[in-house]
Amino acid sequence: VEEGLDGLAAMANPSSTSMVIDPPRAGLSDVALGALLAFGPRRITYVSCDCSTQSRDLRSITAAGYSVAKVTPFDMFPQSNHIEVVAVLERSAGVAEKLFVA
């Protein structure tokens, strides 16, 4: 993941980038979370099948200067206890953007 984000940083301006992430049930690894926050996209859409690991990751992402704009649960598996949760996060006003160098 971090290698992919490093390559993306060379091609894209983080201040105008939206990223969709859909990590495994265990959530984002520390390395992936660090790479995501280092890249600093304007918007993050986080899709999760485990709301407890999503909550853990959202605490770290919001501590880094993002705010939760919207959270929507989806019952993709009727008659089971599994739900998907989609959270949209926006980089908060006043959070310094990374200098973009192409």
Side-chain angles (χ1 to χ4, degrees):
V1 170
E2 61 278 5
E3 292 171 5
L5 287 175
D6 288 341
L8 180 62
M11 300 180 305
N13 181 345
S15 68
S16 62
T17 301
S18 293
M19 296 190 73
V20 176
I21 56 173
D22 187 1
R25 187 170 296 279
L28 290 170
S29 69
D30 290 339
V31 172
L33 180 60
L36 174 69
L37 296 176
F39 178 69
R42 180 180 51 85
R43 176 180 293 131
I44 300 169
T45 301
Y46 187 129
V47 180
S48 179
C49 61
D50 187 333
C51 57
S52 64
T53 58
Q54 184 184 41
S55 175
R56 178 202 67 207
D57 292 344
L58 293 184
R59 278 192 295 276
S60 297
I61 295 169
T62 57
Y66 286 82
S67 59
V68 177
K70 185 175 186 179
V71 176
T72 306
F74 290 92
D75 186 4
M76 304 289 291
F77 309 102
Q79 300 178 16
S80 78
N81 63 349
H82 297 287
I83 61 168
E84 297 285 318
V85 180
V86 178
V88 178
L89 298 103
E90 302 276 347
R91 192 172 47 229
S92 300
V95 173
E97 293 182 14
K98 289 176 52 177
L99 177 63
F100 175 66
V101 180

